[in-house]
Each structure stands twice: as C-alpha cells, then as structure tokens.
C-alpha cells in the first residue's frame, strides 16, 4: 500500500481539501458544533498545523496539532497538543492513522522542538495510541474557557483519557495539569 503523509499549516490547505476535511470532521465528530463546543459544553481549540494522510493519493486520515505551554506539577512544559484525529470509515485498518500519528509525533519533537505531545481520547482509542508508544496518565486537568475554569478527572472510572509522548529523554513530570486555555 502506498501511504503518504504531508504536514502543513491548516491555513495552507487547498480549499477543496479543507472543505472535505470540514465535512468529514462534522460527520465523525457529530457532537461538536460549528462553534467547536461539544454536547458536554466543552469548547475545543483547533490546531495550527495538520497532517494529511493519503493512500494512493486519496485523502484518508487527518490530525491537527497546536503548540501550548502548560503547567504540570508547577513546571512549564511545551507540548504539541494533538486533536481532531480521524480516519475516514472506508480507510480504517490500513495503517493511515498510524502513519499520521508517527508523522505528527516526529513533527512535534523535531520541528516544534516541544517537550512532549499530548492528546485526549475516548476509552476505545487508548490501546491504539499506546501501541504507538503514547503513555496514559491519570491526572486532574484544569482548563479555562468561555464559561469559567473546569477540571477533568482523568482516572480509571473516567470516560476522558489523556496520553503523552515525551520527546527525547524527557520524563513527563508528576502532578496535576493546567492547560492554560481550552482543551484541544
């Protein structure tokens, strides 16, 4: 199978591809409105860069990343925050999401020179990310949005999961996390 990844600024996406990504995102993330507020009232922040994954020149998977300084246990940590990860239903199981996540992780650690990658996911996706080397962490996540400050409790009984991918020799610090803004 011929898989190709392309990392670029979201603003530089060709108009037709951007429209296709928006349409597919609305289908896959149907609980998130055009204002990026989901059915739980959480407002999500879009990325700045993206990876587009192609199979034989057909668009099949996508993910976004933004750069953010967060506080972890009192320490500042620069992360590449990954969000909006999707594979088109007819392209699943072909390795496109893996290729996209590997390209995005490499971009975060080398081009962005971040300390770590960080993402949130549903319980059924945890094993996928762990198979790529991402580490699940159980912390309180403080985030700030239009309607105040909130805390997600990432624990065994939670439907919310956070995973990190330290870059280089970094050991992700212990302690609760303040993402200093909206979730992504």
């Amino acid at each position: 199978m011929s898989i190709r990844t392309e990392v670029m600024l979201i603003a530089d996406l060709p108009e037709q591809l951007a429209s296709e990504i928006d349409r597919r995102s609305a289908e896959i993330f149907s609980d998130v409105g055009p204002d990026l507020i989901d059915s739980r009232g959480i407002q999500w922040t879009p990325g700045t860069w993206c990876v587009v994954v192609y199979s034989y020149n057909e668009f099949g998977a996508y993910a976004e990343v933004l750069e953010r300084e967060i506080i972890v246990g009192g320490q500042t940590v620069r992360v590449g925050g990954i969000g909006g990860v999707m594979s088109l239903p007819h392209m699943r199981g072909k390795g496109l999401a893996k290729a996209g996540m590997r390209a995005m992780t490499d971009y975060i650690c080398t081009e962005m020179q971040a300390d770590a990658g960080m993402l949130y996911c549903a319980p059924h996706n945890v094993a996928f990310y762990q198979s790529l080397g991402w580490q699940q962490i159980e912390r309180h996540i403080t985030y700030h949005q239009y309607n105040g400050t909130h805390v997600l409790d990432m624990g065994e009984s939670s439907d919310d999961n956070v995973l990190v991918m330290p870059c280089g020799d970094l050991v992700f610090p212990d302690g609760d996390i303040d993402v200093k803004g909206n979730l992504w």
Side-chain angles (χ1 to χ4, degrees):
M1 170 169 288
S2 174
I3 296 175
R4 177 174 55 91
T5 61
E6 191 173 348
V7 178
M8 67 181 76
L9 285 167
I10 292 172
D12 291 343
L13 282 167
E15 188 175 328
Q16 184 176 0
L17 179 58
S19 293
E20 174 75 1
I21 289 167
D22 288 346
R23 185 176 69 79
R24 295 300 191 140
S25 291
E27 292 170 1
I28 292 171
F29 302 108
S30 59
D31 72 324
V32 179
D35 55 2
L36 297 180
I37 298 175
D38 72 14
S39 58
R40 298 186 296 175
I42 296 174
Q43 185 170 27
W44 297 88
T45 299
T48 305
W49 298 274
C50 66
V51 62
V52 182
V53 187
Y54 300 91
S55 172
Y56 295 106
N57 294 321
E58 180 183 355
F59 162 62
Y62 177 82
E64 297 180 357
V65 67
L66 57 77
E67 189 172 0
R68 174 88 57 90
E69 284 190 349
I70 64 173
I71 305 297
V72 183
Q75 297 179 47
T76 299
V77 178
R78 279 188 52 239
V79 296
I82 294 180
V85 179
M86 66 175 174
S87 291
L88 303 187
H90 70 285
M91 297 289 228
R92 292 181 182 153
K94 298 180 179 184
L96 276 68
K98 284 182 181 179
M101 288 303 299
R102 287 185 178 122
M104 194 55 71
T105 301
D106 183 58
Y107 185 81
I108 288 167
C109 293
T110 59
E111 299 299 319
M112 291 176 63
Q113 297 183 345
D115 299 316
M118 184 172 160
L119 60 84
Y120 313 97
C121 73
H124 67 274
N125 289 325
V126 170
F128 166 75
Y129 292 112
Q130 287 177 325
S131 75
L132 296 172
W134 288 75
Q135 304 164 10
Q136 186 175 11
I137 57 175
E138 296 179 2
R139 314 282 176 85
H140 294 284
I141 308 288
T142 300
Y143 62 101
H144 313 271
Q145 59 179 34
Y146 67 98
N147 62 355
T149 298
H150 305 273
V151 176
L152 289 177
D153 184 13
M154 304 289 183
E156 288 183 24
S157 63
S158 175
D159 284 338
D160 298 306
N161 299 276
V162 65
L163 291 95
V164 297
M165 173 69 83
C167 296
D169 295 331
L170 175 79
V171 174
F172 201 79
D174 289 329
D176 291 338
I177 299 171
D178 184 341
V179 298
K180 297 173 58 178
N182 290 342
L183 299 174
W184 54 82

